[in-house]
Amino acid sequence: MPPGQQRHHPVLPFLLAASGIALFSVMDAVMKSASLQVGAYNAMLFRSGFGVLLMLPLWRATGGRWPEGPALRLHALRGAISAGLATSFFWGLIRLPLAEAIALSFIAPLIALYLAAVMLGEKIGRGAVIASLLGFAGVLVIGAGRLGREALSEDALWGIASVLLSAVLYAFNLIFQRKQAQLASPQEVALFQMGFAGLFLALAAPWLAVTPSLPVLGEIATGAVLAAISLMLLSWAYARAEAQVLLPIEYTAFIWAALLGWLVFAEPVTVETLAGVALIVIGCWIAARKAVPAHTEQTTL
C-alpha cells in the first residue's frame, strides 16, 4: 500500500454517518427549545458564532490553511444554503411536533438521491432506490398516522411549508456536502460552513438580533458543539462513500426524533411510528449491504 494511504472498511463511513445523524437529532431538540425562547433567527445566529469559536482553534491546531478559490466558493455557497435551510427548519420546528417536522424533512434525501446522478454523475443502483423508497414509505406511514388524527391550524400549515422549503434546500446541501468533503478536511468544512452561515445571517442583525439569556445561550452553545461534531463525522463519511450509499441513513433521524419527542416533549410513540421505523431500519440495512467494496483513500486527518 503506497505511503500516505489507508484502507477503510466499507461499513465505517456508514456507521459514522449514522452517528452524525443521531447527534444532529439531539441538536434539533436542543435548538427547538432555544428557538421557542428567542426565535429561530437568533438561535441560528448565535449558534453560528459559537460554532466558529469552537472550530477555529481545532482547525488551526490540525494545520488548517486558508482554502483556495474553488473550495472557498463552495464553502460560501454551502454556508448560504445552510443559513436558509436551518433557519426555515427551526422556524417550522417551533410550530410542529419534533417527530412530524423530521418526517416532513425526509423528502430531502429522496430528492438528493436523484440530484446525485445529475450533479455528481453517480450511477443509481437498484438497491439504493429500494432503500430510499422503503425509508420514504416509512415516513409516509408515520406522517399519515399523525396527520390523520390531528386537525392542522393555520400556524401549523405555515410550519409545514417552512419545513418543506428547508427540505428542498437540504437536498442541494447534501449534494454539495460530498463535493465539499472531497476538497476540504472535516474541520475546515465545519468551520467555514458555520462561519459563512453566520455572516449571511448577520446581515439582518440590525433589525432582528436579540441577546439571549445565559441559560438560553448555554442551550445554543450545546447545539453548536453537537452541530460541529456532526458536521465533521458526516464530512469524513461522505468523503469515503458515494452519496447514494449514505443518503438513506438520513431516515434514521426519525428514530431519534420519536425518542426525543417522547422523552423531552411528551409526544407518544404510536403504532404507526413503530411501523414506519421498521421500514426505515430495513431501508438502511439494505443501503449498508450495498456499500461499495473496501478501497484505498488519501488520509487527510
Side-chain angles (χ1 to χ4, degrees), residues 27-47 86-96 98 212 215-217 219-220 223 265:
M27 183 272 295
D28 285 339
V30 172
M31 290 295 291
K32 175 174 181 174
S33 175
S35 297
L36 284 168
Q37 299 174 74
V38 296
Y41 169 81
N42 286 289
M44 270 304 303
L45 177 65
F46 282 90
R47 194 195 78 172
T87 304
S88 58
F89 177 76
F90 291 126
W91 192 89
L93 190 60
I94 62 179
R95 290 162 174 80
L96 296 172
L98 179 62
V216 177
L217 281 174
E219 291 184 357
I220 295 173
F265 301 105

Side-chain angles (χ1 to χ4, degrees), residues 17 20-21 24 74 77-79 81-82 85 105-117 119-120 122 132 166-182 189 193 230-231 234-235 237-239 241-251 253:
I21 293 299
F24 257 131
L74 189 55
L77 175 60
R78 195 170 176 221
I81 294 173
S82 177
L85 76 88
S105 73
F106 281 151
I107 188 176
L110 192 62
I111 297 172
L113 177 66
Y114 299 98
L115 286 177
M119 299 176 65
L120 301 181
E122 293 186 3
S132 291
S166 175
V168 173
L169 293 173
Y170 190 40
F172 284 95
N173 186 62
L174 286 170
I175 299 304
F176 289 123
Q177 176 173 273
R178 176 154 171 80
K179 284 187 174 182
Q180 191 181 33
Q182 293 172 327
V189 169
Q193 180 171 328
S230 300
L231 282 170
L234 289 169
S235 178
Y238 270 83
E242 287 191 348
Q244 64 172 313
V245 173
L246 298 180
L247 288 177
I249 303 174
E250 297 286 327
Y251 294 121

Side-chain angles (χ1 to χ4, degrees), residues 104-180:
L104 291 170
S105 73
F106 281 151
I107 188 176
L110 192 62
I111 297 172
L113 177 66
Y114 299 98
L115 286 177
V118 176
M119 299 176 65
L120 301 181
E122 293 186 3
K123 183 179 179 180
I124 300 176
R126 184 176 63 178
V129 174
I130 293 174
S132 291
L133 291 178
L134 277 173
F136 192 61
V139 172
L140 290 179
V141 169
I142 297 163
R146 282 188 169 272
L147 298 179
R149 292 190 306 271
E150 301 175 6
L152 294 177
S153 64
E154 182 178 350
D155 201 41
L157 288 174
W158 278 111
I160 290 173
S162 185
V163 171
L164 290 177
L165 171 62
S166 175
V168 173
L169 293 173
Y170 190 40
F172 284 95
N173 186 62
L174 286 170
I175 299 304
F176 289 123
Q177 176 173 273
R178 176 154 171 80
K179 284 187 174 182
Q180 191 181 33

Side-chain angles (χ1 to χ4, degrees), residues 246-262:
L246 298 180
L247 288 177
I249 303 174
E250 297 286 327
Y251 294 121
T252 62
F254 194 92
I255 300 173
W256 300 108
L259 179 61
L260 291 168
W262 175 57

